[in-house]
Amino acid sequence: MKKKEPDERLSELAFHIKETGCTAVSLYAPEIGAVCLRFANGEQVSESELVRLLDGVLGFCFEEEMVELFRKLCRAALRQHPRVINEYVLTFRDLWDEEN
């Protein structure tokens, strides 16, 4: 079996990371849409449910679509859970903001 060059291995790794991010978007999008609808309808969403979603989404914010889902969820949840959203926005900035 031929040994792969480092550039080829890195390229494969980048492909798999991108593929994983796209899969995560497709899995989280419907759930976030449903939770945002609940917020819009004035329904209560538990802090633990919100935190579970935010934790999951935050790890995939290298995907621009996931960043948009994160923002959508934060905007929807802000009125009901301002402290949680503030903490996650600060965490997002620490992890993903290119200016940091």
Side-chain angles (χ1 to χ4, degrees):
M1 180 162 61
K2 181 182 170 194
K3 188 174 181 177
K4 295 181 180 180
E5 295 296 319
D7 287 348
E8 188 178 356
R9 291 194 315 247
L10 286 174
S11 180
E12 286 178 6
L13 179 60
F15 171 79
H16 290 297
I17 289 170
K18 175 76 173 163
E19 187 176 51
T20 302
C22 290
T23 300
V25 167
S26 69
L27 292 172
Y28 277 105
E31 190 171 3
I32 289 172
V35 168
C36 288
L37 185 60
R38 289 171 47 207
F39 279 121
N41 289 334
E43 298 176 32
Q44 289 293 315
V45 174
S46 72
E47 183 174 310
S48 62
E49 182 179 5
L50 177 61
V51 165
R52 181 186 60 78
L53 281 172
L54 288 167
D55 280 343
V57 167
L58 205 54
F60 293 99
C61 283
F62 57 86
E63 277 296 325
E64 189 59 36
E65 288 178 78
M66 194 62 91
V67 173
E68 292 307 314
L69 289 173
F70 176 81
R71 289 178 178 150
K72 177 181 179 178
L73 182 57
C74 287
R75 283 190 297 268
L78 184 59
R79 185 169 278 156
Q80 204 174 109
H81 298 285
R83 181 190 55 78
V84 171
I85 297 305
N86 183 53
E87 289 174 8
Y88 275 86
V89 167
L90 292 174
T91 301
F92 173 88
R93 288 178 180 159
D94 285 344
L95 292 172
W96 299 107
D97 193 348
E98 294 176 1
E99 292 179 11
N100 285 333

